[in-house]
Amino acid sequence: MEQYKKEFIEFMVDCQVLKFGDFVTKSGRKTPFFVNTGFYRTGQQLRKLGEFYSKAITQVFGKDFNILFGPAYKGIPLSVATSMALSEHFDMDVNYCANRKEVKDHGDTGILLGSPINDGDKIVIIEDVTTAGTSIEETMPILKKQGDVDVLGLVVSVDRMERGKGEKSALSEIQEKYSIKTTAIVTMAEVVEHLHNKPYKGEVIINDRIKEAIDAYYVQYGVK
């Protein structure tokens, strides 16, 4: 596993973004682990987060895109922080763009925040996590409505590695349905590999009991 992935897993633990217990996802699944990017709250945390995303994005998409789109609401700070990191570490001047939940009819009108989207733009979508692909179904029509754009793909922080609406993983379904690339900074398999029965700052984050709960979850919701 690459060093930046290990550092990102520990970063999530430090920021209390990665939690283990009893949770319910947006798609209604009861899950023993949860990733809440709303816990990235400080300027320093967002700066580091942008750096991790920028590494994952450039590995898969290279430098040939000009807009980073963050779906409202959690995608907004992600797109801003990562566009800044791309500028600082990869010498890329990428526009950030996000959508509003409601169309604004006065002042800066329309549904978009940040950069406008025009014909020929090459776009990478940035999200926190995706469980069943619900968010991307709302995002793609917004982007396609703006003009003849090329949506290259989607990057998330953690690939939960579970089924979407069919038998394949949510990221695989998105990849096939929209003919785009998908990637993540880390997968849940990498998280488990790095944290299971390995003390971090004097604490075992994933012990055997939690590992058993994760395994049971994947028996039910994992990719066949």
Side-chain angles (χ1 to χ4, degrees), residues 52-105:
F52 288 121
Y53 266 109
S54 67
K55 287 177 183 176
I57 288 171
T58 51
Q59 278 194 353
V60 173
F61 299 104
K63 295 186 175 184
D64 189 20
F65 65 96
N66 65 310
I67 291 180
L68 197 56
F69 184 87
Y73 288 102
K74 287 184 179 178
I76 297 173
L78 300 181
S79 62
V80 173
T82 306
S83 64
M84 293 172 72
L86 288 167
S87 172
E88 183 176 354
H89 298 282
F90 293 92
D91 195 28
M92 296 171 62
D93 199 16
V94 173
N95 291 0
Y96 100 90
C97 182
N99 64 296
R100 296 182 170 97
K101 289 286 190 179
E102 302 84 20
V103 177
K104 192 177 176 189
D105 60 3

Side-chain angles (χ1 to χ4, degrees), residues 91-178:
D91 195 28
M92 296 171 62
D93 199 16
V94 173
N95 291 0
Y96 100 90
C97 182
N99 64 296
R100 296 182 170 97
K101 289 286 190 179
E102 302 84 20
V103 177
K104 192 177 176 189
D105 60 3
H106 61 281
D108 181 18
T109 59
I111 198 168
L112 299 182
L113 290 165
S115 173
I117 295 176
N118 302 303
D119 290 349
D121 283 337
K122 294 182 178 180
I123 303 170
V124 173
I125 303 169
I126 184 168
E127 289 219 75
D128 54 352
V129 292
T130 184
T131 304
T134 310
S135 175
I136 201 82
E137 290 182 354
E138 301 166 358
T139 301
M140 289 299 283
I142 293 171
L143 296 176
K144 294 297 185 181
K145 194 175 179 181
Q146 307 307 312
D148 183 16
V149 299
D150 185 5
V151 180
L152 302 182
L154 166 71
V155 59
V156 298
S157 60
V158 180
D159 178 359
R160 289 180 59 98
M161 299 178 64
E162 60 194 81
R163 293 199 311 274
K165 297 185 176 178
E167 293 301 308
K168 295 183 179 180
S169 75
L171 288 182
S172 294
E173 287 181 355
I174 290 167
Q175 196 161 303
E176 288 186 9
K177 182 174 181 179
Y178 298 104

